[in-house]
Amino acid sequence: MPRGEALMGNGLTGLEALGSLVPAVPPSAATAAEIGQRVGQARLRRALTGEALGELVGLGKDQISKIENGRRKVSVRELPRFAEALGVTIAHLLGQASRPTLAMAHRLAGSTGAHEDSNAKQRALELLEVEDILAQRAKPWPASASPSGQQVLAFARSEMGERPRNRSEAQRQGKRLAERTRSALGLGTHELGDLPGQIERHFGVDVALSPLGTEADGLCVHGDNVALIVASTNFSQGHVRFTLAHELGHHLFGDPRDIIDEGERDMFADDQQERRVNAFAGHLLMPEEGIRETLRWLSAGRVTERSLVALMEQFGVSLAAMVYQLCVMGLITFEQGQQLRSQRVGDLVARHASVAPTGAGVTPQHVVRAPERLLGAAVAAARGEQVGLGVVATLLQREDDDALWDAVMEADSEVFA
């Protein structure tokens, strides 16, 4: 079956299929308070002010406030304007969206920003459409957090729901959540192994890796029972791991935006929210006590070129990330950090190859990794003839050919290689 036909069925794309999500009942069946609440939630996810939304729909800021507080109804004629401005369907505003994954794909497709046409966004759209197909035909098991992950999520949402007021508070909150995460997951002070697997297993977030270019580092899509992180592997392994941890931070802290599409400039913007998730990522990947233990073993607690390379190798991070963490810990000065970062990382690692047998993730690996939950469901559904082989091909970013057919249909074969 051709890939496009296998994916979409009946000649319709997933986004065109959203046309079937028409309201079954008129707006009057939903209360003004319910619609207003959904308008407010969607506005926050789009990072719009009340005034900005008002300009898009032709109303004043005070009218938007009344709608969100349930003191003014949204008329039948106004609903389409609100849906378009907020990147949602009318059915969503009325509380009638029965396919949340496809509705999220609709919002992602309509999102705008610096990376609105990025490969990361296009990959996320593919994955959301695949999940919708599987949900309709194969009923995959839902993504869910482990008990330990649920504890972390509850802690983050209850204790750190407010935006940090300054740099020190952002740093403190990020570190505190990272320490709570490591404690809840029993990670101690050791390096993290399979980070994508840890994220999926403990937090119910699907993770996809692909060589998507360098325009955008990563993307986080979450909300309405959908959670997905996509990262580009055109960067070094250490860079990719930091991106994953950073995007996980957005999810754990309950970032009100449902679509967070970021390049390196966005991730390190002069913004307390970004500082907080960067602090979380740094302390999650590079726990302070673990760093100090390694330094005591290698260099009597001092930071040298050799110990720096060993730390990069041990914790699987980039030169920039490790230098940043050492500066935060006060183990090197800002000037020393600038000097270290100015060096060519390949030369630095080559000079100390004895402590970096894998090369500390210096070169991009261009790895493709599909979310385990979706891939397992797709393979089982293809074997049961519930979906075409094109669904598996899309997840693996492989050709829909005889080799893939043989791999999928042979129960003991390595489909995921």
Side-chain angles (χ1 to χ4, degrees):
M1 181 180 293
R3 179 171 171 179
E5 183 181 346
L7 260 178
M8 305 310 168
N10 301 323
L12 290 177
T13 68
L15 295 180
E16 286 169 341
L18 277 169
S20 65
L21 300 180
V22 295
V25 293
S28 56
T31 68
E34 290 171 344
I35 294 176
Q37 182 180 33
R38 294 187 193 100
V39 167
Q41 291 171 344
R43 177 178 64 77
L44 290 175
R45 288 170 181 163
R46 301 278 285 190
L48 291 171
T49 63
E51 183 176 4
L53 176 58
E55 290 177 359
L56 291 173
V57 298
L59 295 174
K61 180 174 67 173
D62 58 333
Q63 293 298 307
I64 298 297
S65 177
K66 288 179 180 179
I67 287 171
E68 293 183 0
N69 290 318
R71 291 183 284 120
R72 180 195 184 284
K73 291 182 179 180
V74 179
S75 72
V76 174
R77 291 183 177 180
E78 290 172 332
L79 267 175
R81 296 205 300 270
F82 273 92
E84 181 179 2
L86 295 168
V88 299
T89 63
I90 294 174
H92 172 82
L93 292 178
L94 297 177
Q96 299 166 15
S98 59
R99 295 163 68 179
T101 304
L102 202 56
M104 179 64 80
H106 176 80
R107 296 205 291 276
L108 177 59
S111 66
T112 58
H115 310 289
E116 61 181 290
D117 294 320
S118 72
N119 291 330
K121 175 178 172 180
Q122 296 307 314
R123 180 59 174 159
L125 281 170
E126 284 184 346
L127 294 169
L128 291 172
E129 291 185 23
V130 163
E131 182 171 2
D132 179 69
I133 290 168
L134 291 172
Q136 300 304 310
R137 303 182 188 178
K139 307 298 181 187
W141 66 90
S144 60
S146 69
S148 299
Q150 290 173 6
Q151 291 178 17
V152 174
L153 281 161
F155 173 78
R157 305 291 169 85
S158 63
E159 299 293 322
M160 300 180 182
E162 297 296 323
R163 184 187 181 94
R165 293 166 292 184
N166 51 53
R167 183 190 295 261
S168 62
E169 187 173 272
Q171 292 280 355
R172 185 168 59 252
Q173 288 184 0
K175 180 181 179 182
R176 189 179 175 200
L177 181 59
E179 291 174 343
R180 175 59 69 95
T181 301
R182 281 187 157 271
S183 174
L185 272 51
L187 299 173
T189 62
H190 305 296
E191 67 277 9
L192 293 178
D194 177 16
L195 182 57
Q198 296 266 21
I199 294 172
E200 290 187 340
R201 184 165 63 255
H202 290 296
F203 301 109
V205 179
D206 291 320
V207 177
L209 305 178
S210 294
L212 301 169
T214 57
E215 182 184 64
D217 294 46
L219 178 146
C220 176
V221 178
H222 65 164
D224 295 339
N225 299 315
V226 176
L228 170 67
I229 292 174
V230 175
S232 174
T233 55
N234 284 96
F235 301 96
S236 71
Q237 182 183 20
H239 188 118
V240 173
R241 283 166 62 84
F242 191 89
T243 297
L244 291 176
H246 177 99
E247 302 304 336
L248 175 62
H250 278 299
H251 176 68
L252 295 182
F253 279 116
D255 192 308
R257 296 171 294 173
D258 53 4
I259 299 162
I260 305 157
D261 192 2
E262 300 184 298
E264 186 172 11
R265 179 176 296 180
D266 305 300
M267 290 168 61
F268 291 93
D270 186 16
D271 178 271
Q272 305 306 345
Q273 203 160 245
E274 295 299 329
R275 289 195 178 98
R276 180 170 66 174
V277 293
N278 282 331
F280 166 79
H283 289 284
L284 180 69
L285 295 173
M286 302 167 281
E288 290 191 3
E289 188 52 40
I291 289 175
R292 295 185 194 280
E293 287 173 359
T294 302
L295 289 176
R296 284 194 293 268
W297 164 54
L298 281 172
S299 54
R302 295 181 300 107
V303 177
T304 64
E305 270 195 7
R306 185 168 181 272
S307 63
L308 174 63
V309 173
L311 287 168
M312 291 166 57
E313 173 78 12
Q314 177 175 339
F315 293 102
V317 296
S318 66
L319 172 63
M322 183 53 70
V323 167
Y324 175 80
Q325 188 71 346
L326 293 172
C327 286
V328 168
M329 293 172 63
L331 295 174
I332 59 175
T333 65
F334 177 78
E335 290 73 22
Q336 290 171 325
Q338 291 290 93
Q339 183 178 1
L340 287 168
R341 285 195 62 176
S342 68
Q343 300 189 56
R344 186 173 178 274
V345 65
D347 295 339
L348 184 64
V349 172
R351 287 199 296 272
H352 305 282
S354 62
V355 293
T358 71
V362 173
T363 56
Q365 295 181 317
H366 304 103
V367 171
V368 173
R369 179 197 189 276
E372 291 287 351
R373 179 180 69 92
L374 298 183
L375 186 54
V379 169
R383 288 172 177 165
E385 299 185 353
Q386 296 166 295
V387 300
L389 194 63
V391 174
V392 181
T394 297
L395 286 171
L396 294 174
Q397 294 188 303
R398 286 179 54 174
E399 289 297 320
D400 180 354
D401 54 18
D402 290 342
L404 181 59
W405 172 270
D406 293 341
V408 169
M409 295 308 165
E410 177 57 51
D412 296 328
S413 67
E414 192 58 57
V415 179
F416 312 108

